[in-house]
Amino acid sequence: MSFAIILFLILGTWAFSQGMSRKLHEAALIDMHEQWMAQYERTYADNAEKEMRFEIFKNNLNYVEKFNKEGNRTYKLGINKFADLTKEEFLSYFTGFKMPIRSSLSREYNSFMYENLTATDIPTSVDWRNQGAVTDIKDQHRCGCCWAFSAVAAVEGITQIKTGNLVSLSEQQLVDCTNGNQGCNGGIMEKAFEFIIQNKGVATEASYPYQERDDLACQTAGNNAVDSNTQITGYEQVPASNEEALLKAVSVQPVSVGIEASESFKMYKTGVFSGEDCGRTLNHAVTIVGYGTTDDGTKYWLVKNSWGKSWGENGYMKIMRDVESTEGVCGIATQASYPTA
């Protein structure tokens, strides 16, 4: 009898300690969520929404912690501003690349101006930030117009290379004026390039600032007139599924690319992203602004994103380069284009 009592007391104490442990863990998570809300200035309509967002936050936190504990990875994940969003919400608000139908584009891709570059013409590493051809990281916020940010970054780059002057250009003018794209509901960079060609340039960010919306009238005159230095002669597409061709293009100028933004892509923090959970269902647009090799010999693309400086490596990402798949990690080599000047 005494043994049964002792066993009962032991089990009761264990159950109590387990219950207390769970409560303490839950309290720590609640505190973490509160700190995260303060950091990202997040507020909710009521307690019901807050509880719902807390559950999503916990799921994303568990995903990040499980991933990082697995080890043997070339990159780490982290809790960021997307931590209280579902996958569907994230894709709806913060991506926006639409796979184009070739026949819908006005130009044929039967030429590639960098085709004849040889190995001796291509530097072992390039960082267009160091050449003064990359503006500060921007933030598209809750508007699915990544295509506009990608196109603008490429035009900012070629304009600086051509003129020696780096000027921040207007994504909002592209959102308002580009025919064939859908503003905050998605689009492609080639359509944006076509508008810039027809418009003989694009306005500056200062004269036509970003508004995070797509219900405004297109403005191409007056204070929102184009910067004549930003005129481009055309655009070309890099041969698809060809990282060698992509390397040639990026060695000469920043290049717009489509990519699949997966769950691990969403929560990326640092390192060389290898994208085990993504394929080539392109849903996001970014700009490749360089490439290089880490100290341990891992080759990477240097990517400028449009999710603000709190995401990734101060707004940038390294994506593994020269992989077995011809499409590249997350399809990065399947839909690449650049403006010509």
Side-chain angles (χ1 to χ4, degrees), residues 151-152 154-160 162-163 165-170 173 192-193 195-205 225-234 339-341:
V152 158
V155 174
E156 289 170 342
I158 194 63
T159 299
Q160 191 278 338
K162 178 179 66 174
T163 67
N165 296 318
L166 179 64
V167 179
S168 183
L169 302 177
S170 175
Q173 188 175 48
F193 294 148
F195 165 75
I196 296 171
I197 295 165
Q198 295 161 7
N199 199 48
K200 295 182 169 49
V202 63
T204 65
E205 188 83 58
V226 303
D227 180 339
S228 59
N229 291 321
T230 64
Q231 186 170 354
I232 59 176
T233 58
T340 58

Side-chain angles (χ1 to χ4, degrees), residues 96-107 109 147 180-182 186-191 194 235 237 257-259 280 282-285 334-337:
F97 179 80
K98 304 291 187 183
M99 278 292 288
I101 300 172
R102 278 295 173 90
S103 60
S104 71
L105 301 177
S106 65
R107 293 167 182 268
Y109 301 113
W147 57 269
N181 282 344
Q182 301 173 44
I188 58 175
M189 291 74 81
E190 290 88 348
K191 291 293 185 184
E194 289 177 5
Y235 63 89
Q237 192 171 60
V257 295
I259 200 163
R280 52 173 298 180
L282 310 186
N283 55 25
H284 187 47
T334 59
Q335 195 73 35
S337 57

Side-chain angles (χ1 to χ4, degrees), residues 19 39 42 45 89 146 160 169 176 188-189 219 262 285-286 336:
Q39 178 181 354
R42 185 79 88 247
E89 289 171 327
C146 56
Q160 191 278 338
L169 302 177
D176 294 345
I188 58 175
M189 291 74 81
Q219 301 178 53
S262 61
V286 294

Side-chain angles (χ1 to χ4, degrees), residues 216-290:
L216 303 173
C218 172
Q219 301 178 53
T220 58
N223 293 333
N224 300 309
V226 303
D227 180 339
S228 59
N229 291 321
T230 64
Q231 186 170 354
I232 59 176
T233 58
Y235 63 89
E236 289 189 339
Q237 192 171 60
V238 178
S241 301
N242 188 331
E243 282 199 280
E244 181 182 355
L246 185 56
L247 186 72
K248 291 179 179 180
V250 178
S251 74
V252 181
Q253 65 182 97
V255 174
S256 294
V257 295
I259 200 163
E260 180 177 338
S262 61
E263 281 295 288
S264 60
F265 189 107
K266 176 181 76 171
M267 307 305 292
Y268 167 81
K269 181 61 179 175
T270 189
V272 180
F273 184 74
S274 53
E276 292 84 358
D277 64 336
C278 66
R280 52 173 298 180
T281 305
L282 310 186
N283 55 25
H284 187 47
V286 294
T287 313
I288 302 180
V289 296

